[in-house]
Amino acid sequence: SDVTFSGFGYLMVFVNNVLTAINLVLVRRTLDQVAKLSPLVLSLYMFSYNSGPCLLIWLASGEARTVVDLVIADPLYRSPGFFFAMLLSASSAFFITFATTLSTGVTSPLSTTVSAQLKNLLQSIFGMFSWGYVPNAINVTGLMVSALSQIMFASIKYRENRRQRDAAAESGGAPLTSTALVVKSSSTNVS
């Protein structure tokens, strides 16, 4: 059994997954429907629109007061090194959002979700070995199911693209590049 099980925590993870899926579908539709809107511009809009609500939540939750108290109490939080680390953290958050938006625009929301799960799988495995965690049978089974599903998805997409390329070659048309195949096949899946 999971020592840190929390029903509310698992519910929040489920809600997060649903909202992420909705966000990716909306990103893809926005990129498809709005002419001349690049993934970079869409990412900038998303950050601009989300800044206000995040600031209000930060202030209303009392977390802003805690941050001010920490900055006043500890000179480490006023050092150039800390500000540089915060700038790097904020920049990496923006670039992750941009990469996700770009991936969704070039492929599909499903492909983006699967690639994100692969990243999570690798992070979990790295974390298990880095911090001395002793995995149990349930953890290993979960990781194996996740890895197997990603392999199955990749093989299905590969076969779809290969079939389309072979069909284009047989019909005398110029073979499409793999990127064009992914964009073409994903645009029919999202609508």
Side-chain angles (χ1 to χ4, degrees):
S1 82
D2 189 353
V3 177
T4 59
F5 174 79
S6 164
F8 180 73
Y10 280 91
L11 175 66
M12 290 295 101
V13 169
F14 177 76
V15 168
N16 177 63
N17 292 340
V18 169
L19 293 176
T20 299
I22 292 169
N23 177 55
L24 292 174
V25 169
L26 291 174
V27 163
R28 179 56 190 242
R29 285 193 177 162
T30 302
L31 290 172
D32 286 345
Q33 293 174 358
V34 178
K36 297 182 182 180
L37 183 65
S38 71
L40 178 61
V41 172
L42 182 59
S43 298
L44 290 170
Y45 278 131
M46 288 191 299
F47 267 91
S48 299
Y49 294 146
N50 289 329
S51 297
C54 286
L55 183 61
L56 289 176
I57 292 170
W58 183 59
L59 292 169
S61 69
E63 201 171 324
R65 184 74 223 155
T66 304
V67 170
V68 169
D69 291 343
L70 281 172
V71 169
I72 291 171
D74 193 345
L76 178 66
Y77 293 117
R78 296 186 302 269
S79 71
F82 179 76
F83 283 110
F84 181 70
M86 285 296 293
L87 178 66
L88 285 178
S89 177
S91 299
S92 70
F94 175 78
F95 285 115
I96 287 171
T97 300
F98 171 65
T100 302
T101 305
L102 182 63
S103 172
T104 303
V106 171
T107 60
S108 72
L110 180 61
S111 296
T112 302
T113 302
V114 170
S115 63
Q117 292 307 315
L118 177 61
K119 173 198 63 89
N120 292 342
L121 173 70
L122 295 175
Q123 284 178 329
S124 296
I125 292 170
F126 178 75
M128 282 184 174
F129 292 112
S130 296
W131 292 285
Y133 178 78
V134 179
N136 59 35
I138 294 173
N139 296 132
V140 173
T141 302
L143 291 172
M144 293 303 222
V145 167
S146 179
L148 180 63
S149 64
Q150 290 160 19
I151 291 168
M152 288 172 54
F153 177 79
S155 68
I156 289 168
K157 282 302 217 182
Y158 175 76
R159 279 182 278 173
E160 283 178 4
N161 290 342
R162 189 171 186 183
R163 249 183 273 137
Q164 289 176 352
R165 190 175 14 157
D166 292 345
E170 287 175 7
S171 68
L176 298 172
T177 63
S178 61
T179 305
L181 289 173
V182 170
V183 170
K184 181 179 177 185
S185 67
S186 66
S187 64
T188 58
N189 293 340
V190 176
S191 301

